[in-house]
Amino acid sequence: MTAMAETKPESGGPGELAGWISPKRAALCVIDVQVDFAAPDGLMASYGVDMSAVPGAIANMKRLVASARGAGVPVIFIGLETKAETDSPVWMERMRRRDGDPESESNVCRAGTPGVAFYGPLPQPGDAVVMKPKYSAFHATNFAEILMEKGVDTLVVCGLTTECCIDNTVSDAFHRDYHIIIADDASAAYGDDVHRSALNILEMNCAVLRSTAEIEDAWSAAHV
């Protein structure tokens, strides 16, 4: 007789996910949802990139923020803010070599411009706000200290863009021994192929992917 294969239960089901992202250990991190990255009149839109996935992702981000607040999960807003004094020579030279224009990327989310403002879900009193000079939320910021103060060991991540600031922040978080859940439908890139490729790599190496609905269900159980 041929032995029947044992059915392996799916990891991270509703009950297990609720433990993974409990208010006692998790924070929701909303990354770079700012005018220049997300608004129809922001700089990225003016460059002609594919913005089609952004509105749907933002709608899901708003759901996650509301759900996190309802469950007592800390919400941390992370944004890019570039300045002349933080434009390193390597940063500028990379743009010159790639585009011939070292100012093109530095103009995005420039301090003191409307483009740096948060867009979609907005910080409320009590939310932590972290402004970073480059891609990772850990670089030249107090993000790690905020997480330590809040007793957080798990990050639920959403935002823009999947292959850049989400990727860099998640990779850094993993190397610092944080657990990471990415809300795959509350994150976006400028092109679905780029988004899916980045998610595949992050899931393979650093993170677990879950939908907005799954995370909402887990957090709703925390305040029933």
Side-chain angles (χ1 to χ4, degrees):
M1 290 180 62
T2 302
M4 294 183 63
E6 181 181 352
T7 301
K8 184 178 179 182
E10 181 182 354
S11 176
E16 191 172 8
L17 181 60
W20 290 355
I21 60 173
S22 161
K24 296 179 180 179
R25 65 185 305 185
L28 175 65
C29 302
V30 184
I31 298 179
D32 286 16
V33 191
Q34 296 165 270
V35 168
D36 271 349
F37 291 127
D41 56 351
L43 272 182
M44 296 308 297
S46 75
Y47 294 160
V49 302
D50 178 3
M51 302 282 291
S52 59
V54 173
I58 289 178
N60 286 332
M61 294 176 214
K62 290 180 177 178
R63 289 169 52 189
L64 285 177
V65 168
S67 182
R69 288 181 173 140
V73 173
V75 181
I76 303 174
F77 284 83
I78 298 160
L80 179 70
E81 185 175 50
T82 63
K83 302 175 183 177
E85 55 267 32
T86 59
D87 291 341
S88 73
V90 169
W91 174 272
M92 300 298 288
E93 179 64 9
R94 180 187 68 86
M95 288 184 284
R96 187 193 69 77
R97 292 179 183 186
R98 186 188 67 184
D99 301 325
D101 178 11
E103 299 298 326
S104 61
E105 196 168 330
S106 285
N107 289 332
V108 178
C109 293
R110 207 63 166 168
T113 70
V116 78
F118 289 106
Y119 179 87
L122 301 176
Q124 292 184 1
D127 294 338
V129 175
V130 175
M131 302 305 294
K132 56 189 174 60
K134 288 188 178 178
Y135 301 143
S136 171
F138 290 95
H139 176 73
T141 72
N142 64 340
F143 184 45
E145 287 78 7
I146 290 171
L147 297 177
M148 185 176 297
E149 289 170 2
K150 294 182 180 296
V152 166
D153 74 355
T154 300
L155 308 183
V156 179
V157 175
C158 62
L160 305 172
T161 57
T162 323
E163 86 294 349
C164 188
C165 293
I166 289 177
D167 177 277
N168 278 261
T169 298
V170 166
S171 296
D172 274 3
F174 180 77
H175 286 94
R176 292 167 183 255
D177 285 334
Y178 288 94
H179 305 289
I180 305 113
I181 309 292
I182 300 175
D184 55 4
D185 58 354
S187 306
Y190 306 125
D192 189 62
D193 56 338
V194 176
H195 173 63
R196 288 295 156 195
S197 177
L199 286 178
N200 288 342
I201 293 168
L202 287 168
E203 183 180 33
M204 185 181 299
N205 297 309
C206 300
V208 171
L209 307 184
R210 290 293 181 267
S211 69
T212 295
E214 288 174 304
I215 295 168
E216 280 182 314
D217 286 346
W219 278 338
S220 67
H223 60 98
V224 169

